[in-house]
Structure formats: C-alpha cells, structure tokens
Amino acid sequence: MEAVDAVPVHLNGKVAIEDIDLMVVEAENGNKQNGREIVLGRNVHTTCLEVTEPEADDESTGDKEAYMASVLARYRKNLMERTQHHLGYPYNLDFDYGALGQLQHFSINNLGDPFIESNYGVHSRQFEVGVLDWFARLWEIEKSEYWGYITNCGTEGNLHGILVGREVFPDGILYASRDSHYSVFKAARMYRMGCVKVDCLVSGEIDCADFKVKLLANKDKPAIINVNIGTTVKGAVDDLDLVIQTLEESGFSQDRFYIHCDGALFGLMMPFVKQAPKVTFQKPIGSVSVSGHKFMGCPMPCGVQITRMKHINVLSSNVEYLASRDATIMGSRNGHAPIFLWYTLNRKGYKGFQKEVQKCLRNAYYLRDRLRDAGISAMLNELSSTVVFERPLDEDFVRRWQLACQGNIAHVVVMPNVTIEKLDDFLNDLVERRSTWYQDEKARPPCIAADIGSQNCSCGLHK
Amino acid sequence: MEAVDAVPVHLNGKVAIEDIDLMVVEAENGNKQNGREIVLGRNVHTTCLEVTEPEADDESTGDKEAYMASVLARYRKNLMERTQHHLGYPYNLDFDYGALGQLQHFSINNLGDPFIESNYGVHSRQFEVGVLDWFARLWEIEKSEYWGYITNCGTEGNLHGILVGREVFPDGILYASRDSHYSVFKAARMYRMGCVKVDCLVSGEIDCADFKVKLLANKDKPAIINVNIGTTVKGAVDDLDLVIQTLEESGFSQDRFYIHCDGALFGLMMPFVKQAPKVTFQKPIGSVSVSGHKFMGCPMPCGVQITRMKHINVLSSNVEYLASRDATIMGSRNGHAPIFLWYTLNRKGYKGFQKEVQKCLRNAYYLRDRLRDAGISAMLNELSSTVVFERPLDEDFVRRWQLACQGNIAHVVVMPNVTIEKLDDFLNDLVERRSTWYQDEKARPPCIAADIGSQNCSCGLHK
C-alpha cells in the first residue's frame, strides 16, 4: 500500500482530524499496490448454499434431514482435501480435541471481564484465567500486575493493544513499519490517530534509522509503537531492544511511549528458540498479543492479549448489567476457545512446544534449501518458519496449495502439521509445473531482489 | 451511568476532540450509578484451573489424560446445572447441533470478506452467504444491494454499523438513547465521535421529543442514530418510524442521517409478530445487526450484520495478502458459527421461528401475570419477552437464577428453552424466599415506579 507519512497537523496542541482524512484517502486509493491491480477472489454468491423453508411433511419424510446430511458430508470431504493441501497461512491444522466434543451442546459465553465472575453462569473463566496465567509466566509479568483476555483473533489483540496505547496517550502518534499487519493501520483509522509508517529493511524488519528520523520530526507528541514479532508476509522479527534504544536516543523517556507487540504467530514460537531476543514485560512494553489458532491450533480463530493492569484502569468502565467491567473490545466472548487452548497447553506444555518449534524451523530450512537447489529465489529469515519465494505464475497452482501472495512473492508458513512428505509433494508439483511456465524464452522468472535481497534472488541477473 | 450531554464544541467546522474527553471522564466516573456502588462479581483468580507442565512419563501412565478427563467431566456437570437454572440473559440454550460435531476437527476461518473467495480454502463462505441472503430477504434488501457478514457477537455488529455511519458522515454526531447497549457508547469513545445521549420514556423507548430538541441544537452536523430493536434491560423497541419522522421534521434530509438498528435479540423476533412495526431496508436505514446466539441459539456468540453495498465501498480497502478486501472489524473470522446458523435456519424456517416467538411471548405474559398475582412489581413491554420486576434482595438468589440486574430492577428474558415448568420453579422459589426477606416490618419491597411506571408498581405506595 502506498504510504502517506501523515505528519500530524497541530491545532491548539491537539491532533486534528485532518490526519485521519489522509488515512481515508489512502484507503480509497488502495486498489492499486505499486501500480499493480489486485486480483480479488471469485464472488461467493454463485456457489452459496441457500437456506430453504422446510416443507410441511419434512418431519415425517426425513427429506430435509437427508439433504442437510448430504451437504455436510460433501463439505466435510472438501474440508479434508483443503486441509491436506494447505501451506500458505500460519495455521496449525493438526489438532485433536475429540475429548471436548461433549461441550458443543453448551452456549458458553465469557461476557465481560475474565477476572470478574458475571451473573451468567455458563462460562469458562476458570479455564481462561488458567491460560492467561500461563502466558503471563511466559512473558514474565506477575499475576497481580497483568490484565488480559482471550480474543477472537489476532486483529482483536492489535485493536485492543493500540486502543490501550491511545487511552494512555490520547495525543500519541502511532508508528508502525510498512510490513505491519493491515489491522494496525485499520486501528489508526478507526481510532482517528495520527499514524506514521516506518520503512523496512529487505528482511522485513523495521528500519530503526528511518524510525529515528520520524520520531525526531514529532518529538512533541508521545509515541505508540507497534512492534512485529513476526511480520505477516516475511516472518521478520522487529528488534525490540533496538526499538527501545532508538526511542531513548531520540529523547523519549519511558513515560512518553507505549509499545504493543504484535506476536501473531512467532510470539509463541520465539520463546522456544534459544538465541532469540526475549519478549518480556521486564522491558518497557505495554502489551503483547498472540493468535491461538496459529501455532497452537484451534477449530476457530482466537488469540491471547496481555497488558499491564495499571493501563486497563484507564480504559475500563463498569457495566452493572453484566456485574462486570467493560475493558474488552467485544462484549459476548466465545467460551469454547479458552478450553481448547487450556487443553493444548496442558497436553503439550513448554517442552512439547519446544519440540514442535524445532521441527518447524528444521522443515523450513529444508524447504528453502530445496527451492534454491531447484534454482528458485527463496529467503528464510532467522527465527522464522516462513519461507518467502518467487510467486508461482499460475493462479490455479496458488489456489491449489493455498499460498499467500503479495506482489512478486509468495510464502509457505511451515507449521507443525507440515511434514517433509507434504513439502516434497509441493516441491515436486512446483518444479514440474514451473518447467512449463518458463519453457519458452519469452517468459522469465521474475527478479525479486527488491523483496528478498540480491543474495537470495536466483533470477537471470542475480543467480 | 450518569450522562454527559456532549453538545460538541465547534472548531473550524470539525468536531473537536474535547467532545471525546467528556466521554472519557464519564467512563472514569462510571463506578457509581445514581450514587449506588456497583457490586462487581468475585475475582476468578482463586478458582482458576492452572495449566501444569506434563511429566516425562505422562504418556505411559495416562495420569495427565485422566486428570483432564475428570476436570472436563466435572465442568460438564456444572454446565448442565447452570444451563438448567438460567433465566437472566437472552440466550436460547436449547439447541442440538450433534450433526455438526464432525466439523470440530477443522480450523474453519472465513478471513476477510464473505463474498470474495480468499486463498485459504478451509472456510465456510458458502454457508455464510446463504445465511446472509436469508436475512437480506427478511429485511427486504436485494442481493445486489446489500453487504454483510457473520460477526463474533452483537457488539461487533454495533461497532461495524456505527463505524460505517462515521465513514459516511465523518463529522456526524452519534445519537443514542440512555438505555442503549453499552457497546454503543464504547463505539463513540473508540471512534472519537461526538455523542449525544437521548432520554427514554418509562418503557425504555427513545423519547423523540427530547431527540428533537437535541437534533435542533446540532442542526449543522449530520446525525448518526442508534435505534434499539429491543433494549438490553427492558426489551423496549424504539419506534423507527417516529425516529425517521422526527429527523425529517427537524430538517434532516435523507442524505444527512444514517440509522443503525441494534436488533440484538428482538431483531429476529419482531418479524414474526404480526402487529409489530417493520424493520426493513425499504425505510431509510443504513444497517441492521442481530445476535445469532440469542434467539437462534449457538454454542458460541455470533451475530449477523447487514448494510448497504454503497456504504461499504467507503469503508473497505483491499488486502492483497488475503486476495480479499478488508471491510470487517475482525480479520480472521470463526467459520463454524455460520454453519450453526445455516443449520438452524434450514431446520426451523420462518414457520418454526414464528411458533417459537409466539411461545416465548405467551410464556412471558404468564410470568408477568403470576408475578403481579403474587404482589410483585412487574412490567412487560409489548412485542417483548423481557419481564422486568423488582430486584430480589438476596444476591445468592440472583446468582442461582443468573438474573441480570440494574439498580432496583431485575429481568427474566423468556427464551425458547424457558418452559412453564421452569418459570413455575422460579416463581415458587422467589415467592418463598421473598416472604423471608420482607417478613419483619423494617424491610419493605422497593418502589420501582420510576423504572417501570406507577401502574406497574406494587410497592406500599402504588399498589
């Protein structure tokens, strides 16, 4: 997305709404990226499953029941095939929650605050708080000093973290690298915050030299920073220590910045990699979020959001109807998700995760090396299991393997369910088809040095 | 919550951020309502289920597996008891989704736009769009003219509807009655919108005389209105036609207002009540939302949000990573919820819902009449199954029946799973205990005429 470096217009010491208008303009122009039209997917209206009114005699004939059973059976088969051929998104599709099937009959709702029992009794707060405590230990913050909740997805974690930041610093400016998840820029627009996009290094990490320049240009306003613990496309980990150092060098003391760590996928992998820099509340960060359906695996999207208790008191207001307080983004909250996470954490534990992380990193190296051996441009960031490579020419191939693409690059995220056998299948399929895409001289594999660095590019010029 | 009628401060024709500061102050003072401290529930930390690291020999001994199975069995028993004794929240706890248990093994995620197929193949868009089409028919808008999605809860619907309104009218003022759901005021604060609270009639409906006064005081700004199709506490239905008429009489033409209908519970019940005024896109409304876990019943919270296609183009921006566009609040979206809704709609159909609505209204009348017969103050709005009555004195009783309370009133929401037998159990329990609460002369049942009108109050003064 073409960025507008929205250096705020000052107006009686307040951030004026002009800043936000810039964001709107940007979004409206967002159909083109670097001059390239985005090809959106097919419209679903043609394939949708219509709801039909039951016939009067349905109960006796059983026709409707039979029709629905056949739809579901076909759908299930399709899900199995699609689960088998999935490589592009960071979801661990390998889980077994059979023991929890018995709970599907209940309407479990953790409405309101996780730590305050509400009058609605069909909840799972005891599981939710158990899970939150586990993450608080992982990220080194005392039980009495943190607040958090199980969210509906990574986006909700980012929306919450950035909202907390804005409430702590109402006139703060949001800084985020260009490779940050789109929900970060959505938050800026929703919350009417001034937002400054920071450049990235080729790896996808935030460029702290550029960050410093932009901080210095806005020294009179507090800084709210989104730090990526694994970017969406390249799996790059922003250097948290360098970000903090840059803030300090630019004259921002700890009472003038708020850091939200978007740990979508790697927030849960990094703690298990020995040499990785630590995400911890021992450092001056305000919040961390991580997705639950990514590395851990869960039937539905969910996430974990942890922040400091002292910040949440700024945000929350009491809602008597719930006999609770309102500090979450959503009101009613899925009570099944915490039980899935509790179950996985108990079964696997730290050691189980460590083993899985090591397997993923090993398999990611394997994929990168085999791509390179086949003469295909590829990059794998340290601490990451996201292998970035040349975008396949054929959109059917992209869809078959459910690859995520951006510009000339695609990626595979190696999750615990991605085995060497699956990678071999994929590689063989890719190498075979690719030979047909580039068989005559007219078409050449694209140069992607600008995306992944010339040392990783195998195009005609760089190989 | 004590209201601040935030008549916006004008500043170069923009809504200044001073308006929002009022909202913040209000939220900070929110601990007291009408001078009465809110009693928040118990802290869950004492009862939480800790996650423990597995032992090295767990796999061979099976100890961990056995421990978890015992926790789940106990939990399930507790859920059954709590489901049995639930009356206060508008959730239909009676559903049978056994046929869908087979899908729990899949990580179903409808990330991005429902109508545009993304590269992630393990989705349920074909069910989602089928459900949306059903609601579009219900609310009378053509397939080609609407846009919508299945949300995570009623709050997400309100957050979306109000955000669409703000994007259509960036300097619009949000009007909502004091009895609106707390998420409406949360939205105003999140989105930094000027917000004006409108008074209510005793029934809980919006007071259009007060609405008119407030509109006329802010004639230079477009109006964004939250209309309640069933308020949270009293189940009052705002008169949509009168709201529109008031806008027109106050000089607001259709290109200067946006109406969001919060149909949380009754949005799905009203269409099946013959004499009820219609919620329809044939009238100049911008969006309607309804909860899926309320009247329909669903294991996890969810909702339906429908708006006009022309509005969504203002909001959306394309996200190449998803091969989709980003017009939802959340990014990753629960793909199981649409299948639950699709299944219920197909099984019950219009006729099934109609029968259930009639049963609920009948049972609600029964409850109100029996309360009155027992000398207990009670009110039931027309078109509603929410019975409002004198708050029980004993908090243990409130918790036992999971009643929702506010000030001196409590309510029971009569849902399809609430039978006459359950109501009789509740009534007998209440009448028996109440006789002990008020046995000596010192304690008297409270007067709640201010909440429900003197004709409904059975206190010493009014009976």
Side-chain angles (χ1 to χ4, degrees):
Chain A
M1 202 179 280
E2 264 317 293
V4 177
D5 292 327
V7 179
V9 180
H10 299 169
L11 199 70
N12 300 333
K14 301 250 171 203
V15 177
I17 291 177
E18 272 86 353
D19 311 347
I20 297 105
D21 292 341
L22 290 177
M23 297 290 302
V24 177
V25 172
E26 178 179 5
E28 282 170 353
N29 293 338
N31 298 23
K32 290 192 177 194
Q33 288 197 334
N34 310 320
R36 190 170 173 287
E37 285 282 345
I38 295 177
V39 184
L40 295 180
R42 288 167 292 199
N43 189 313
V44 179
H45 246 134
T46 51
T47 55
C48 89
L49 293 161
E50 204 194 344
V51 173
T52 56
E53 185 71 6
E55 305 281 336
D57 60 352
D58 265 345
E59 291 223 350
S60 56
T61 64
D63 284 356
K64 184 90 185 212
E65 209 74 30
Y67 160 73
M68 293 209 293
S70 78
V71 167
L72 290 172
R74 254 199 315 274
Y75 177 58
R76 184 166 180 274
K77 232 183 135 191
N78 176 261
L79 288 181
M80 285 172 69
E81 185 279 323
R82 295 280 70 197
T83 296
Q84 197 54 35
H85 285 97
H86 174 264
L87 287 175
Y89 294 81
Y91 310 142
N92 179 5
L93 302 185
D94 182 23
F95 48 75
D96 175 9
Y97 291 122
L100 304 180
Q102 57 180 319
L103 304 179
Q104 198 198 257
H105 188 63
F106 300 99
S107 182
I108 312 179
N109 188 337
N110 292 351
L111 64 177
D113 193 288
F115 297 95
I116 301 172
E117 215 164 288
S118 118
N119 284 348
Y120 182 62
V122 188
H123 68 80
S124 65
R125 283 180 174 71
Q126 61 275 53
F127 294 90
E128 184 174 18
V129 175
V131 170
L132 294 172
D133 282 351
W134 190 91
F135 278 93
R137 270 202 308 281
L138 187 73
W139 294 325
E140 305 184 312
I141 183 165
E142 291 294 321
K143 277 189 197 184
S144 59
E145 298 198 345
Y146 88 85
W147 184 90
Y149 73 107
I150 308 284
T151 60
N152 284 296
C153 58
T155 291
E156 188 175 352
N158 289 342
L159 290 182
H160 193 272
I162 293 168
L163 183 61
V164 171
R166 194 201 70 178
E167 296 297 280
V168 172
F169 297 120
D171 64 339
I173 291 172
L174 178 64
Y175 297 84
S177 82
R178 295 179 192 282
D179 280 11
S180 300
H181 190 252
Y182 62 91
S183 61
V184 172
F185 304 107
K186 174 155 71 179
R189 184 177 172 190
M190 278 170 67
Y191 300 153
R192 294 188 151 166
M193 299 168 75
C195 175
V196 175
K197 284 191 183 176
V198 180
D199 289 338
C200 286
L201 306 175
V202 170
S203 66
E205 273 177 71
I206 190 168
D207 177 354
C208 280
D210 186 56
F211 181 40
K212 193 170 193 174
V213 170
K214 284 166 179 166
L215 280 172
L216 292 174
N218 295 284
K219 277 194 76 163
D220 57 332
K221 290 272 189 327
I224 298 162
I225 308 101
N226 177 72
V227 168
N228 297 304
I229 310 302
T231 58
T232 317
V233 174
K234 295 183 182 174
V237 176
D238 290 347
D239 187 334
L240 175 59
D241 296 328
L242 190 58
V243 165
I244 294 170
Q245 191 191 317
T246 305
L247 281 159
E248 285 167 354
E249 285 173 6
S250 309
F252 285 76
S253 51
Q254 290 191 14
D255 58 348
R256 292 194 58 243
F257 67 81
Y258 180 98
I259 294 175
H260 170 67
C261 297
D262 174 8
L265 168 64
F266 293 108
L268 192 47
M269 296 179 70
M270 281 213 353
F272 304 103
V273 183
K274 270 191 199 128
Q275 67 278 30
K278 246 184 168 176
V279 173
T280 163
F281 280 91
Q282 303 295 315
K283 298 176 184 175
I285 61 172
S287 47
V288 185
S289 62
V290 74
S291 295
H293 58 296
K294 290 182 178 160
F295 192 70
M296 299 172 81
C298 188
M300 69 280 292
C302 62
V304 175
Q305 165 71 354
I306 301 267
T307 182
R308 295 182 193 273
M309 182 69 92
K310 66 178 181 191
H311 296 325
I312 220 60
N313 295 328
V314 178
L315 186 75
S316 71
S317 60
N318 292 338
V319 182
E320 188 178 18
Y321 173 72
L322 298 178
S324 187
R325 72 180 165 194
D326 179 33
T328 60
I329 300 275
M330 292 300 152
S332 288
R333 299 191 296 105
N334 182 350
H336 292 268
I339 309 177
F340 289 119
L341 299 185
W342 181 87
Y343 189 78
T344 299
L345 289 174
N346 262 302
R347 284 187 78 180
K348 296 189 176 167
Y350 284 83
K351 278 191 192 132
F353 283 117
Q354 193 160 32
K355 247 190 239 171
E356 290 198 333
V357 169
Q358 283 161 355
K359 194 184 102 178
C360 289
L361 295 181
R362 221 164 37 230
N363 290 354
Y365 275 103
Y366 173 80
L367 172 61
R368 184 200 61 181
D369 291 346
R370 284 229 27 210
L371 283 166
R372 285 188 180 166
D373 292 347
I376 300 171
S377 306
M379 173 178 85
L380 172 61
N381 274 312
E382 244 189 316
L383 315 174
S384 170
S385 70
T386 301
V387 179
V388 180
F389 59 100
E390 162 204 312
R391 182 183 189 146
L393 200 65
D394 180 354
E395 288 296 318
D396 279 343
F397 180 86
V398 167
R399 261 198 288 272
R400 175 169 157 76
W401 290 97
Q402 301 164 57
L403 304 177
C405 300
Q406 188 172 288
N408 282 327
I409 57 175
H411 76 203
V412 161
V413 186
V414 179
M415 288 281 94
N417 65 312
V418 175
T419 59
I420 290 284
E421 292 69 45
K422 191 180 280 191
L423 290 176
D424 281 339
D425 280 354
F426 167 73
L427 284 157
N428 294 338
D429 194 14
L430 176 62
V431 168
E432 194 189 314
R433 306 235 191 168
R434 191 170 178 271
S435 67
T436 66
W437 303 333
Y438 299 118
Q439 63 185 346
D440 62 25
E441 291 290 295
K442 279 177 214 149
R444 290 275 182 81
C447 170
I448 57 172
D451 293 297
I452 63 171
S454 53
Q455 74 281 16
N456 296 313
C457 187
S458 307
C459 78
L461 185 67
H462 292 108
K463 77 179 162 196
Chain B
M1 202 179 281
E2 266 316 293
V4 177
D5 292 325
V7 179
V9 180
H10 299 169
L11 200 70
N12 300 333
K14 302 247 170 206
V15 177
I17 290 176
E18 271 89 352
D19 310 349
I20 297 105
D21 291 341
L22 289 177
M23 297 288 303
V24 177
V25 171
E26 178 180 6
E28 282 170 354
N29 293 340
N31 297 24
K32 290 192 178 194
Q33 289 197 337
N34 311 321
R36 190 170 174 286
E37 284 282 344
I38 294 177
V39 184
L40 294 181
R42 289 166 292 200
N43 190 313
V44 179
H45 246 134
T46 51
T47 55
C48 90
L49 292 161
E50 204 194 344
V51 172
T52 55
E53 186 71 7
E55 305 281 336
D57 60 353
D58 265 345
E59 291 223 350
S60 55
T61 63
D63 284 356
K64 184 89 185 212
E65 209 73 29
Y67 160 72
M68 294 210 291
S70 77
V71 167
L72 290 172
R74 253 199 315 275
Y75 177 59
R76 184 167 180 276
K77 234 185 132 189
N78 176 262
L79 288 181
M80 285 172 69
E81 185 278 323
R82 295 281 70 198
T83 296
Q84 197 53 35
H85 285 97
H86 173 265
L87 286 176
Y89 294 81
Y91 310 142
N92 179 4
L93 303 186
D94 181 22
F95 48 76
D96 175 10
Y97 291 122
L100 303 180
Q102 57 180 318
L103 303 179
Q104 198 199 255
H105 188 64
F106 300 100
S107 182
I108 312 180
N109 189 337
N110 291 352
L111 66 177
D113 193 288
F115 298 95
I116 300 171
E117 215 165 288
S118 115
N119 285 348
Y120 182 61
V122 188
H123 68 81
S124 66
R125 283 180 174 72
Q126 61 275 53
F127 294 90
E128 184 174 19
V129 174
V131 170
L132 294 172
D133 281 351
W134 190 91
F135 279 92
R137 270 202 308 281
L138 188 72
W139 294 324
E140 303 185 312
I141 183 166
E142 291 295 319
K143 277 189 196 182
S144 58
E145 298 198 346
Y146 88 85
W147 183 92
Y149 73 107
I150 309 283
T151 61
N152 284 295
C153 58
T155 291
E156 188 176 352
N158 288 342
L159 290 182
H160 194 272
I162 293 168
L163 183 60
V164 170
R166 194 200 70 178
E167 296 297 281
V168 172
F169 297 119
D171 64 338
I173 291 173
L174 178 64
Y175 297 84
S177 82
R178 294 178 193 284
D179 279 11
S180 300
H181 190 253
Y182 62 90
S183 60
V184 172
F185 304 107
K186 174 156 70 177
R189 184 178 172 188
M190 277 172 68
Y191 300 154
R192 294 188 151 167
M193 298 169 75
C195 175
V196 175
K197 284 191 183 176
V198 180
D199 289 339
C200 287
L201 306 175
V202 169
S203 66
E205 273 177 73
I206 190 168
D207 176 353
C208 279
D210 186 57
F211 180 40
K212 193 169 192 173
V213 170
K214 285 169 178 165
L215 279 173
L216 291 174
N218 295 283
K219 277 194 75 162
D220 58 331
K221 290 271 188 330
I224 298 162
I225 308 102
N226 177 72
V227 167
N228 297 305
I229 308 302
T231 58
T232 316
V233 174
K234 296 183 184 174
V237 176
D238 290 346
D239 187 334
L240 175 59
D241 295 327
L242 190 57
V243 165
I244 294 169
Q245 191 190 317
T246 306
L247 281 159
E248 284 166 356
E249 286 172 6
S250 309
F252 285 76
S253 51
Q254 290 192 13
D255 58 348
R256 291 193 60 240
F257 67 81
Y258 180 98
I259 294 176
H260 170 68
C261 297
D262 175 8
L265 168 62
F266 293 107
L268 193 47
M269 295 178 72
M270 282 213 353
F272 304 102
V273 183
K274 270 193 199 125
Q275 67 277 33
K278 245 185 168 175
V279 173
T280 163
F281 280 92
Q282 304 293 316
K283 298 176 183 174
I285 60 172
S287 46
V288 185
S289 61
V290 73
S291 295
H293 58 296
K294 291 183 177 157
F295 192 71
M296 299 172 81
C298 187
M300 69 279 293
C302 61
V304 175
Q305 165 72 354
I306 301 267
T307 182
R308 294 183 193 272
M309 181 70 91
K310 66 179 183 193
H311 296 325
I312 221 60
N313 296 328
V314 178
L315 186 75
S316 71
S317 60
N318 292 337
V319 182
E320 189 178 16
Y321 173 71
L322 300 178
S324 189
R325 71 180 165 194
D326 179 33
T328 60
I329 302 275
M330 292 300 153
S332 288
R333 298 189 298 106
N334 182 351
H336 293 268
I339 308 177
F340 289 118
L341 300 184
W342 181 88
Y343 189 79
T344 298
L345 289 174
N346 263 303
R347 284 187 78 181
K348 296 190 176 166
Y350 284 84
K351 281 193 192 129
F353 283 117
Q354 194 160 31
K355 249 190 241 171
E356 290 198 332
V357 169
Q358 284 161 355
K359 194 183 102 180
C360 289
L361 295 180
R362 223 168 30 233
N363 290 353
Y365 276 102
Y366 174 82
L367 173 60
R368 185 200 59 182
D369 292 346
R370 285 230 27 211
L371 282 166
R372 286 189 178 165
D373 292 347
I376 300 170
S377 307
M379 172 179 84
L380 172 61
N381 273 312
E382 245 189 314
L383 315 174
S384 171
S385 71
T386 300
V387 179
V388 180
F389 58 100
E390 162 204 313
R391 183 183 188 145
L393 199 66
D394 180 355
E395 287 297 318
D396 278 342
F397 180 86
V398 167
R399 261 198 289 272
R400 174 169 157 76
W401 291 98
Q402 302 164 56
L403 304 177
C405 300
Q406 189 173 286
N408 281 328
I409 56 175
H411 76 203
V412 160
V413 185
V414 180
M415 288 281 95
N417 64 311
V418 176
T419 58
I420 290 283
E421 291 71 43
K422 192 181 280 190
L423 290 175
D424 281 339
D425 281 355
F426 166 73
L427 284 156
N428 294 339
D429 195 14
L430 175 62
V431 169
E432 193 188 316
R433 306 236 191 168
R434 191 168 177 272
S435 67
T436 67
W437 303 333
Y438 299 118
Q439 63 184 347
D440 62 24
E441 292 288 296
K442 278 178 216 149
R444 290 275 182 81
C447 170
I448 57 173
D451 294 298
I452 63 173
S454 53
Q455 74 281 18
N456 296 311
C457 187
S458 308
C459 78
L461 184 66
H462 292 108
K463 78 179 159 195

